[in-house]
Each structure stands twice: as structure tokens, then as C-alpha cells.
Amino acid sequence: MAVPAKPPIRQMAMVFDLNKCLGCQTCTVACKTLWTDTPGMDGMWWNIVNTMPGLGTPRDVFSHGGGYKNGKPVPGRFPSQADFGEAWDFDYEAVLASGSERGEHLQPREAGGTSPKWGPNWDEDLGGGEYPNSYFFYLQQVCANCSKPACLEACPRTAIYRREEDGIILIDEERCHGYRFCAEACPYKRVYFNQKRAIAQKCISCYPRLEAGVAPACVRQCPGRVRHLDFVDNKDGHIYKLVKKWKVALPLRPDFGVEPNVYYVPPMSPLAFNEQGEFDESESRIPIDYLREMFGKGVDAALDTLQVEREKVAAGKKSELMDILIARDWNDLLGPFTGNPATIERPPARTP
Amino acid sequence: MEDGLRTRPGEATLDRYRERWEWDSVAWASHCINCYPGNCPIRVYVKDGVVVREEQAGTFATIQQGVPDMNPMGCQKGAGWSQMLDGQERVIYPLRRVGARGSGKWERITWDEAATEVADAVLDAVEELGPESVIAPSGGNVGTWGGAGRGRFFGIIGGITTDINGEINDFAPGHYLTYGTFDPVSSVDDWFHSELVLIWYGNPNYTRIPYVHYLNEARYAGAEIVTIAPDVSPSAIHADLYVPIRPETDAALALAMCKVIVDEGLVDERFVVEQTDLPLLVDPVTKRFLRGSEMVEGGNEEQFYAWDTRTGAAIPAPRGTLLWDGAWPAIEGAYTVQALAGPRRVTTVFELMRQRLADYTPDRAATITGVNAETIRTLARKVASKRTNIIGSLGNGKYYHGDLVERAEILLLALTGNWGRQGTGVRGWMTGLFDGSFTVAAKTKPGPEDVVAMLDSREKALQARLAEDPTLTPAMVGIEQAKAASARGGGGMFPPLFFWYNHAGNAKAWERPEWSDPAMTRPFADYFDEAVGKGWWQGVDYPRKEQTPRVLVECGGNVIRRTRGGGRMLLENLWPKLKLVVTLDVRMSSTALQSDIVLPIAHQYEKIAFSTPTTHTMHLTFCDKAVEPPAEAVDEWEAFRRLAEKLEERAKARGVAPYKDARGGPHDLSGAHTAYTRAGQFVDIEMMADEMLRDSSITGCIEEGASLDEIRKRGFYRFQSLGMSPRSIAQATEPRNDETFVPFRNHVEKGEPYPTLTRRAQFLIEHEWFIEADEHLPTFKEAPAAGGNYPFRITSGHNRWSIHSLNTASSLMLETHRGTPHLVMNNRDAARLGIADDSRVRVYNDQGEFVVPALVSASAYPGQVTMYNGFEPYQFPNWAGPNDVEPGMIKWLHMAGGYGHLRYWVTEWQPSAVMRGTRVGIEKVAGR
């Protein structure tokens, strides 16, 4: 079976509703405990939620280059370990069981014993603006399985491929030689480097779960019911309706030119105050220019549509869009991947 | 790049990840450590005898058509729980300290050695000072077996277990004053029905992670979300309006909104007349209700009156119903009534309240609160026209005058008819519902006979009482019985006031008048002595001064971390008096670290248990034993059984005679183990859990045929009825399987009276202390400057990363933020003080100090700093935690009693130490 360079037969995609995210990192922990809690991966956060505006993960996440401009690859760099944040160690023994008598307190240490100055969620809840008009929202990131995957194109080992059946982009770890061209090329900096194995690793969209009809852990475990999942071509599905029909779900940094398959419903924000301390209805609390930079020009129309449809519902009318975003039945968020991992029929567990 | 160069996808890689997502078995679970509301059904995946991960079940059915289901309830703590099972902070052997207390030097001992030390220390204490010198401070992680085991063990000794709500202070005194219970609680899915949500004294985006989706979904369904807070809180980001308010001025805002509603004629008069005391007649001079004893010879002291506009006469307010039977009381005006002593000039409570509201014009409130006057008017009109839901996260009671905020909030809802129907109300926390947990604690033997007999005698007692006084409700009878049991010293818990005041060291701060409300005309001790002297706390005013604590048993809490006043205060004042400190815990908490003996307890997934049953979720949720506990860890029931067994053995060996506790209860420790196990019948928690479920089927709170086998298959039951406990029944609504749950519907829909003095939602509290303090009606007062004269107010709040202190030192949770505690402060304040983000600051006042890295934020209110709570003191330099700057003041009025509904019963009316709003200074110090 040859690896298809052509578009996949079906493309799995996600919509993250930023108006529902509470920044709890359940998705992050769900991912961590499933995939990246082994040595060499302990500093990896395939899924991460960051407060925006903010520096993101890795630090200055959107300023390391990569992606495409006018169809040409943009040079990128692989952020340093310091930018990603090193895995931390906590010396419980020294504090709790070695007679330090208050001399030691429990705190994170980097490998060399230094105190960390950065980590994957370092600027949690900081954001921008000045009191009382400060603002922030939470931005979730996973591998976006881009339709123009810069990582794939950049790999000289052809170790990265896209699956025909769901459009997921995966790294063949047996072929990977750890050159990190993919990590340089990814404009979202979602590729990590496993120092122990000297290979690149990234979010795998929980393909073993998808293969069993179960939504990825970050999607299925999101208590905020933020994440919608489906194949893009399902015209009755949430992705198609939110992205194509209602146009309220937008790509992140569309200027990166990679055509990601993760979309975001942009954040509405509370009214700001004018200098008299009155509500100022003329401008968004989150500067609209910032939202345009993040989500492209479609953000104005998307926010307008959200407002119009909310008012419609408040006036007692029906709105397909609001019904989709509410998703009264949780399974509706999961598209065709509604399998319950606790009850699915699985192939024989492990070969004895 | 050409297609031909591409290779076949590496099956080896694919299989490696597929193999990671494999398991041998799956078990149901929940995190049964009083995570409130909690009750998240989880599936636990086990491979090679180890829990490899867990994931929310996601199997809730739709309850009410059109309302989102509750899936997939959970949070990051729950999603990473299994990492704690083999965390480095875990305790798996009995330990005895070999250095000084707190030195962190331990030796491993056997269970038998540990139990012997505990038993002898208990017997020494009983012989020296009596059983009241054995004390267990309640904590938030006690769970099914900690509660059952500790309760049984302390009952056998006659020791003191402090009241959990007093200890943790999730009490809502203003709710209690008004409703006679503090804890009306709608189900979380009911939030979806709201048209207006006021997030007020709460931060649900941190503290209600599994349920916040209902607020955001309500917003998509047309609701408006308004967040009222000093800081641009993490729960402001999804609001439509964020209303910044000066800290601790919220009562003024609520009262100004009430004034707008009254002035603009927006009052829901029918609701006010039926549900509240506002139409009752009152003497405007004495502030006392007009009473039956003043109106007719031999009249009832608890008979109140209203002015009937139809007949133009004073009429007795019906005591058995809220409905007026054809009469229509005036809510305004002044009237002359013919009393026994002659004509009396009276008015209505509403009229008094209206006069009081004259002080709260929007313009004046704007100067107090910093909220724009027009905004106040706008908010008031919204409340008057929309189904309004106030989402607070048990925050008010943690402020000195939080009760006044609560009373003002409820007044706002009363004027606008905003409780007892879907999408409305305030909320506290409640538990009850799960009858089996009470019946099994009381049974003499397994099987259905005892529970059938209990139901029978309960029904007979109820009917007998109703025959005596047909105006009572079952809830009122249940509460009356609970209060009477407490007054006999048999309620099972004791308000911590007496432990704190007599022994813990809190009195020093309480006796500083400048840290208390200036309305106190006498020293704190005078009020305390009066409250005790008048018998307002009869039966529960223990331990007394002479009953010095000798043995402290910590199970399910972390008293060194939690106590307001600080761990340092306890170590200096209480610890030297203690001959033995023993902690039962899954991990090395700050209290375990300061203990003499630490006993290893089985974690979640290592024992069966039930979550805290509550109307917030309406489900009884179950945790199975997915794996064996490590090494020598055991469940709490077994741990206390071992202690009881040794107690019996040592009591016999030492010839300890039977004795009576200070309340008169008899105890015989030579039969401790026999009593604990009911002669060997209650040893196995699997059998007991099964009994609890079967009993609950018999009482009807869950469906018929419930059993341990059955819940192991399905994970949870939905409650079918409120059950037997008074806290449950006082929710005053019959639950339905196809509707969200809303408390107080029987009051609003059927006119069922409230369990208060006036049998109405009561805004006038005529207790002499309240009148003296000018708090007989809701009002606004500036908070006293507790801690000293310092420029910053420190507030706390439940953190995002931990349930109580349980997960704060878990490495996985620490990696999701900066890995340390941090003090949130405003960026301009920080700049002024030369404080950079993530640099260390010293926080200090007259009570104490601690050092912590700053988190510099433009979202913090200038002049306010926030220290999210739960972190272990050993996560701070010198192990000085933030509680060390909290004087833990109590509001003297909360010691009041001898008046109507102001009487203690478990988790209800009592003083609790506050910590938020403490004054502190901040300065830069070297290092991180």
C-alpha cells in the first residue's frame, strides 16, 4: 500500500469553541496520561491550553517561523528546550522524609537543579489590557492535521505521512532520524523532540481510539464540551455546519498557509468600560485587530453571526447554530466517534 | 518530493501506540473525598494490576428534554488521579516520627505497634481529663469510610469531632438566617434554565469545572451572564457584562438594586406577600414583630400578624401555610392595632426595609461600591424581568460580613420572585439523600429488619408530633429533632468554636476589638460567656477550658494547612498540649508531617466508596476497588477497627472502668471492638456498602433492587426521593426523573412554611444582639481591618488545581501551572513596589507572614491580592502557609441563640472563622 500524497478520502477535523473553554487542562491531562508520561516524553504536551494573548507553548509560539507564504515555505526554527519548558522534578524526599525541618520546601527543579523560568502554561490567566478592561481567553492546541502539512513536506526521510481514511498526519518513528525539519516547519510548533530516542513526536489524534470508533481523549474528556469532531464532508455534521455553512469556526493564524483542520469559534468578550466607567458598546473588550490576526478576516462576520443568533434565541426563535453550539446531547459533539471505550469490542488485547 | 519515495506507514509505530491504549479490566469509579459537588462517574482502566489511566464515563442519560445532559462530568484532577496512587507523597506503611515533630524523620512500624500507641494515648487522655480531650477536627476529604469509622470510633470513646461546616466554613449564615437552612441547592442542569446568571462571590471556571458548560450553554440559549467581582476573574471571560466592584461592598450593590426595584414598582408583590416576612407587622421602635401574646390573652409568642387590606384589620398570619386564605396583606403603610395593652402603632417589615433602602440610592451605592449608578439600575431591571440565578461558590461566608451580602442577595431575589422555580435561586452545599449511609450507621445487625423498624418509628414519631401541632411540616419536625439531639450532646459533631476559643489559640485575635465590627459594645469574651451562660449552645459547648486536648486524630482533613489562624498558631498553642497526634491519610500532608504517628490509607480505586450525595447532581456515584491498596494501606473503616480492637485489648489489660462523658453518655472501652463491629457483624465494607444500597431501596431514595453487584455494573443510581434526613427534606421539592431539580418548590407552589421563627423567608431578625448591631435587617457595613492597618486586602478562593489540599502537591497538577503557589497581584501595584512577575514577595501583618512568588496580572483589582488556597505550607519557604496571616475572625453575632431558628444542628447555625479580606502588607524579597 503506497502512502497517498493526494488528499485523503475523508478528512477528520475539529472545532474548538473558545466561548466554552474554562482553561481547566483536563484535555491536557487526558492526553498526558495516555501518551506522554514515559521517559523521554515527560516534557511533551501534545495537547496544551494557553491563555491568550500570551506567549503560548513553546514560548513565543507563533514567532518561530514555518508554514507557507505565497505558497513558499517560510524558514522556521526549532524552539529551545527552555522555550518548551523542561520537565520538572519535585524532591519530595528532601522535604517530607529527610529531616530538613523547614529548610526545604517543595518546588519545581529543572534537570540542573535550577528553578524554572518557563513552562507549558506559565502565563496562565494573564492575558492583555489594563484593569478593568483586561482580557484573555483560552486557546487549545493539538496537531491540526493540516491540509498543506509543512511538517510532512519538510521531512527528508519521508517519515511523515497522511492517512487516507481520516487525513491524520503521523510520524513513522522507525523512519524518523530526528532531524527536526518537521518541527522547524510546523508554524504552530506542535512537534516535540524525544531526547532519549532522538525522534520527533507529536499528537497522533488518538488514532487507536478513532480506529475503534472512540473520540480522541482530549475531545471525549473535555468537561467544558468545547470540542466538536467529525469528518469535514459530512454535510449534516457539526464541522461542516460551523465551518462552511455558518462560518463561525475559523482557522488559527490562517496566514501560516497550512490549511489546518482544527477550527476555532472566536471568543465573545464582556463589554469594556469607557473612561466614565460606563459600558462601551462600540468596541470589543478583546481588540478586534488581535482577533483578526489570530483568526483572520472572517472573525468580524463570525462574531456578528454569533450575536445575531443569540439574540434570535433570546427572542424565543429557533437557531440551528445555537443548537449546534449547545449540543444538548453530548454525543452530538463526537460525530461518528461515539464509542464508549469501556464497552467497545476490541481486538484481542495483547499478544501473549 | 515524489510519491515513490514514500514508504509504507510503519506498522511498528502504529502498533506501539495501539498497545499503549490497552487494558485488562475496567472498573467504575468516582473520587469519593467530598469533592463537592463531585459525583463524576469515571471508568478506571487496569493493566497488569495497576491503574494505568481513568476517563469520564459519559453515560448519563438526558434528564429533561431540551436540557443538555451532564456528560462528561470530570476535571483535570480526576483525569490524572491515578498518578497520585504511586506519587512520591504517598504513605504506604505505618510511620512513627524519630526526630522532633515536623522534622520529617520517620521509622516504619507495624500496625500493631501504631495501634498500641494510639490506644494507650487515648486511655491516658480519658483517665486524665475525660473523653473530651480526644479530638478529631473535621476535614473535607473524609469520605464514606472515614466518616463512618471515625464517627463510630469517637462515639465509642465519647470524644469530640468538630463540625465539618464550621471547620471548613462552607456555611452560608445569611442563607440560614433567612431560610432556616443554609443549603437550598438546585441541580447543575437547572442552571440551563436561567435567563440571567449573576456570578457573584464565585469563580465557577475554577471551582465548578464539570458544570460550567451549563452556564455557557444557557448563554447560547439566550441567557445573559454577569460576573460581579473585584478582579476580572477567570469566570468573567465568558460573561456578557463584567461588573468590577470594590471588595466587600456587595451588600450595598444588592441593596441599591433592591431600592431601584422598589422605587420603580417592579416588586413581585404576590411572591413577597406569600413567601416572606415582609408583610408582617412590626413595632417600628422596638423592631419586634407584633406577637400573639400581645394581642390575645394566652396568645402564642410565635403568632405573627399582617394588615389585611380587604378587611382593614390585623390578622394572624397562618402558621401552617404561607397562603392567606382570601386575605390580602398590606406590604406598606403604618397602622394602629388594638393590642391587649391598648392601641399599638405598627408598620410592616417591608416598610422598615424601604426606609432602610433610602440609604442605598444608586448614586450613594456607586460611591461605596465603585459600580456606576446607571449600571446598578440596569442590573436591577434585568433581575426584575428575568429568571435570575446567583452562582456563588460558597464564597460569601468566608468574609466577615458575608451574611449581610447573602441576606441582601436573597432580598433582591425575594422582591423579584426568583426562587422556587427553574433557573433561579441562590445555593449552598447540601448532602443527605443517601439514607443507607445513616441507617447502616445505626443498625444493630445486617438485614432489612432494622431499617423497616427505623422507618416505622420515624413515621410514628412524625405523626405524633404532627398530631400535637398540625401546623408543622415534616422538615420542621426533622430539624426540631436534629436540634434536640445536638442539645443533648448526641448530634455527633460539635461546633469548632469551643475547641478554637478554649484551646487552639484563636482567642487572641478574636479579642482584638479593632479587628472586629465596631458595633460590638463589649469584649468578645463577654458575648461568648453570655452565649454559653444562657445555654444557647447547650450540649455542644465542648471541649471546655479544662478539657485540654491530649490526643488529636486527623482523618480526611489537614488541620495544619486549613485552620484559619494558621498552622503556626496551632503548633504554638495546641501542639504542646497534645500527647499524641495521629494522622490517617493517603499521603504526607502538612498535618501528617507534624504528627507522631501516620497511618496509611487506601486511595481512591483501592477501596469501594460512595461520593457525597447531593441535589447538585442527584446521583449516587460509586467507586469500585479496581486494584489492591499498596503495602499496608487499608480503608478507614478497617483502620479505625484496628484501633478499636487495640483499645479494647488495652482497656481490659489496664482495667479501665466504664465512664460517662461530660454530657452524661456512658462508655465502656473494654467493649470497644465489640461495639465498633456490632459483635463482629460489621467488618467488611463490601457487605456494609451492599447494606447501604439495599436499605436505600427500602427507604425509597433509590430504586428498588439496588445492590453492590448492581451498582458495580452501572456505576451510579439517580435519586428517586429526598430520603429521610432533615437537610434533604428541607429542600422542599419532590424530585422527578424527567426534570431538573429546583429546591423550595413546595414553598412557592404549595405554600408550605419555612423552618424559621416566622415560618417565612425571614428578613427581620429581632435577636437583641442583631438589633444592637443594627443588623436586624439586611444592611451594608464596611469590613473591619482584621490583621492590622495594612494597605492590601488578601482574598483567597478555591484553586483550579486541587480538591482541597489533596492534589496541590501532586507533580502532574503542579506541571499544569508554575509548579508553586503564587500570589496574584495587580501589575500597577507591583510596579509601584518594584515587584517583577515570578519574584518573591513577603506578605505580612500583625498575625504572621509568608513568602511566595508573585503572579503579576492586569486582571487583579488594585489593592487586592489573591492567594488561591489549598497549597501545603511545605510548598512555601519555611513552611509558612498563607493561613498564617489569617486571624480567622468569627462574627460575634453568629454565637447568638435562644431565638427562633437560631440553634445549632449538624452543619447548620454556628460561627465559622473567616479569612478573606484580611489586611496585609506586601514587600519584595530576594530570590524566587
Side-chain angles (χ1 to χ4, degrees), chain A residues 91-121:
Chain A
D91 194 346
Y92 293 88
E93 181 79 17
V95 180
L96 301 178
S98 54
S100 88
E101 301 203 42
R102 297 173 179 262
E104 294 282 338
H105 68 279
L106 192 70
Q107 54 183 322
R109 293 290 186 203
E110 294 169 335
T114 50
S115 288
K117 292 289 172 204
W118 189 251
N121 189 28

Coordinates of all heavy atoms in Angstrom, one line a residue, chain A residues 91-121:
Chain A
D91 N 11.4 17.3 44.6 CA 12.2 16.4 45.6 C 11.3 16.3 46.8 O 11.5 16.9 47.8 CB 13.5 17.0 45.9 CG 14.4 16.0 46.6 OD1 13.9 15.0 47.0 OD2 15.6 16.2 46.7
Y92 N 10.4 15.3 46.8 CA 9.5 15.1 48.0 C 10.3 14.5 49.1 O 10.1 14.9 50.3 CB 8.4 14.1 47.6 CG 7.4 14.6 46.6 CD1 7.7 14.5 45.2 CD2 6.3 15.2 47.0 CE1 6.7 14.9 44.3 CE2 5.3 15.6 46.1 CZ 5.6 15.5 44.7 OH 4.7 16.0 43.8
E93 N 11.3 13.7 48.8 CA 12.1 13.0 49.8 C 12.8 14.1 50.7 O 12.8 14.0 51.9 CB 13.1 12.1 49.1 CG 14.0 11.4 50.1 CD 13.4 10.1 50.7 OE1 12.3 9.7 50.1 OE2 13.9 9.6 51.7
A94 N 13.4 15.1 50.0 CA 14.1 16.1 50.8 C 13.2 16.9 51.7 O 13.6 17.3 52.8 CB 14.8 17.1 49.8
V95 N 12.0 17.1 51.3 CA 11.0 17.9 52.1 C 10.4 17.1 53.2 O 10.3 17.5 54.3 CB 10.0 18.6 51.2 CG1 9.0 19.4 52.0 CG2 10.6 19.4 50.1
L96 N 9.9 15.9 52.8 CA 9.0 15.1 53.7 C 9.7 14.1 54.5 O 9.1 13.6 55.5 CB 7.9 14.5 52.8 CG 7.1 15.4 51.9 CD1 6.1 14.6 51.1 CD2 6.3 16.4 52.8
A97 N 10.8 13.7 54.2 CA 11.4 12.5 54.9 C 12.9 12.5 55.1 O 13.4 11.5 55.3 CB 11.0 11.2 54.0
S98 N 13.5 13.7 55.1 CA 14.9 13.6 55.4 C 15.3 14.6 56.4 O 16.5 15.0 56.5 CB 15.7 13.9 54.1 OG 15.3 15.0 53.4
G99 N 14.3 15.0 57.2 CA 14.7 15.8 58.4 C 15.1 17.2 58.0 O 16.0 17.8 58.7
S100 N 14.6 17.8 57.0 CA 15.0 19.2 56.6 C 14.5 20.2 57.6 O 15.1 21.3 57.7 CB 14.5 19.5 55.2 OG 13.2 20.1 55.2
E101 N 13.5 19.9 58.3 CA 12.9 20.8 59.3 C 12.8 22.2 58.8 O 13.4 23.2 59.2 CB 13.8 20.8 60.6 CG 13.9 19.5 61.2 CD 14.3 19.5 62.7 OE1 13.7 20.4 63.3 OE2 15.1 18.7 63.1
R102 N 12.0 22.4 57.8 CA 11.6 23.7 57.2 C 12.7 24.2 56.3 O 12.5 25.3 55.7 CB 11.3 24.7 58.2 CG 10.0 24.3 59.1 CD 9.8 25.3 60.2 NE 8.6 24.9 61.0 CZ 7.5 25.5 60.8 NH1 7.3 26.5 59.9 NH2 6.4 25.1 61.5
G103 N 13.8 23.6 56.2 CA 14.9 24.1 55.4 C 14.6 24.0 53.9 O 15.1 24.8 53.1
E104 N 13.8 23.0 53.5 CA 13.5 22.7 52.1 C 12.0 22.9 52.0 O 11.2 22.5 52.9 CB 13.8 21.3 51.8 CG 15.3 21.0 51.7 CD 16.0 21.5 50.5 OE1 15.3 21.7 49.5 OE2 17.2 21.7 50.6
H105 N 11.6 23.5 50.9 CA 10.2 23.4 50.6 C 10.0 22.9 49.2 O 10.9 22.9 48.4 CB 9.5 24.8 50.7 CG 9.9 25.8 49.8 ND1 11.1 26.6 49.9 CD2 9.3 26.3 48.6 CE1 11.2 27.4 48.9 NE2 10.1 27.3 48.1
L106 N 8.8 22.3 48.9 CA 8.6 21.6 47.7 C 8.5 22.6 46.6 O 7.6 23.5 46.6 CB 7.3 20.8 47.8 CG 7.1 19.8 46.7 CD1 8.1 18.6 46.8 CD2 5.6 19.2 46.7
Q107 N 9.3 22.5 45.6 CA 9.3 23.4 44.4 C 9.9 22.7 43.2 O 10.6 21.7 43.3 CB 10.1 24.7 44.8 CG 11.5 24.4 45.2 CD 12.2 25.7 45.6 OE1 12.0 26.7 44.9 NE2 13.0 25.7 46.6
P108 N 9.5 23.2 42.0 CA 10.0 22.5 40.8 C 11.5 22.8 40.6 O 11.9 23.9 40.9 CB 9.1 23.1 39.7 CG 8.7 24.5 40.3 CD 8.6 24.3 41.8
R109 N 12.1 21.8 40.1 CA 13.5 22.0 39.7 C 13.7 21.4 38.3 O 13.2 20.4 38.0 CB 14.4 21.2 40.7 CG 14.4 21.7 42.1 CD 15.2 23.0 42.2 NE 15.3 23.5 43.6 CZ 15.4 24.8 43.9 NH1 15.5 25.7 43.0 NH2 15.6 25.1 45.2
E110 N 14.6 22.1 37.6 CA 15.0 21.6 36.3 C 16.1 20.6 36.5 O 16.6 20.5 37.6 CB 15.4 22.8 35.4 CG 14.2 23.7 35.0 CD 14.6 25.0 34.4 OE1 15.7 25.4 34.6 OE2 13.8 25.5 33.7
A111 N 16.5 20.0 35.3 CA 17.5 18.9 35.4 C 18.7 19.4 36.2 O 19.3 18.6 37.0 CB 17.8 18.4 34.0
G112 N 19.2 20.6 35.9 CA 20.4 21.0 36.6 C 20.2 21.6 38.0 O 21.1 22.1 38.6
G113 N 19.0 21.4 38.5 CA 18.7 21.9 39.9 C 18.3 23.4 39.9 O 18.0 23.9 41.0
T114 N 18.1 24.0 38.7 CA 17.7 25.4 38.7 C 16.2 25.5 38.8 O 15.4 24.5 38.5 CB 18.1 26.0 37.4 OG1 17.7 25.2 36.3 CG2 19.6 26.2 37.3
S115 N 15.7 26.7 39.2 CA 14.3 27.0 39.3 C 13.8 27.3 37.9 O 14.5 28.1 37.2 CB 14.0 28.2 40.2 OG 14.2 27.8 41.5
P116 N 12.7 26.7 37.5 CA 12.2 27.0 36.1 C 11.8 28.5 36.0 O 11.3 29.1 36.9 CB 11.0 26.1 36.0 CG 10.6 25.7 37.3 CD 11.9 25.8 38.2
K117 N 12.0 29.0 34.8 CA 11.6 30.3 34.5 C 10.5 30.3 33.4 O 10.0 31.3 32.9 CB 12.7 31.2 33.9 CG 13.8 31.5 35.0 CD 13.3 32.5 36.0 CE 14.2 32.6 37.1 NZ 13.5 33.1 38.3
W118 N 10.1 29.1 33.0 CA 9.1 28.9 32.0 C 8.6 27.5 32.0 O 9.2 26.6 32.5 CB 9.7 29.2 30.6 CG 8.6 29.3 29.5 CD1 8.4 28.4 28.6 CD2 7.6 30.3 29.4 NE1 7.3 28.8 27.8 CE2 6.8 30.0 28.3 CE3 7.3 31.5 30.1 CZ2 5.7 30.7 27.9 CZ3 6.3 32.2 29.7 CH2 5.5 31.9 28.6
G119 N 7.3 27.4 31.5 CA 6.7 26.1 31.5 C 5.6 26.2 30.5 O 5.3 27.2 30.0
P120 N 4.9 25.0 30.3 CA 3.9 25.0 29.3 C 2.7 25.8 29.5 O 2.0 26.2 28.5 CB 3.5 23.5 29.3 CG 4.0 22.9 30.5 CD 5.2 23.7 30.9
N121 N 2.4 26.2 30.7 CA 1.2 27.1 31.0 C 1.6 28.2 31.9 O 1.0 28.5 32.9 CB 0.1 26.2 31.6 CG -1.2 27.0 31.7 OD1 -1.5 27.9 30.9 ND2 -2.0 26.7 32.7

